Amino acid sequence: MPRISDDQLQELKDRVNLVDVIRPAVGKIVKKGQGYWACCPFHGEKTPSFQIREDLGFYHCFGCGAHGDAIKFVMEKRGGDFMEAVQFLADGIGMQLNLQAANPEQDKKRQDGFAALT
């Protein structure tokens, strides 16, 4: 499987607008304080408990505990693997990816590190 460099991955995360990625799944988003609030797309609720912290690059639901970044959100809502989510986000912002040949050992370390962050 091809892989993306750490620098390009960071550039993608910096350029992606997390609110824009999440908005189609939640509809109404309200800005309150430093975050944005919506009803969680992962469980049914009537009162918003889903916070999007665009400045910090993550979302968190105080109701069900869902938590992650734009890549994880795309993986959870659209399905697919890490690279499919990365490609989807890159396409959405018009970012050209320079993919590298796979290195299974490095990919395993990276996925473990990604899981620890979420």
Side-chain angles (χ1 to χ4, degrees):
M1 174 194 299
R3 67 180 300 275
I4 183 173
S5 72
D6 291 339
D7 290 341
Q8 268 203 315
L9 185 59
Q10 188 59 53
E11 179 184 351
L12 177 69
K13 288 180 178 183
D14 290 344
R15 289 180 55 190
V16 164
N17 182 311
L18 187 57
V19 172
D20 289 344
V21 171
I22 293 173
R23 187 182 314 278
V26 298
K28 184 178 178 183
I29 296 176
V30 177
K31 173 110 169 98
K32 289 184 184 176
Q34 294 179 336
Y36 295 83
W37 292 86
C39 290
C40 181
F42 299 109
H43 76 281
E45 64 182 3
K46 294 181 181 177
T47 305
S49 68
F50 186 81
Q51 184 182 38
I52 305 163
R53 287 297 305 264
E54 193 172 47
D55 58 330
L56 301 176
F58 71 83
Y59 62 86
H60 180 79
C61 178
F62 291 92
C64 71
H67 181 88
D69 63 5
I71 297 168
K72 185 169 182 188
F73 187 83
V74 170
M75 289 170 61
E76 295 288 325
K77 291 306 288 178
R78 295 192 81 232
D81 64 20
F82 180 81
M83 283 307 300
E84 290 169 332
V86 166
Q87 188 64 60
F88 174 81
L89 291 168
D91 290 347
I93 61 169
M95 181 177 169
Q96 183 68 34
L97 298 178
N98 297 316
L99 301 178
Q100 304 168 350
N103 180 335
E105 185 176 313
Q106 210 170 35
D107 288 346
K108 171 84 171 104
K109 287 180 186 176
R110 186 178 208 184
Q111 281 291 66
D112 291 345
F114 174 72
L117 293 175
T118 58

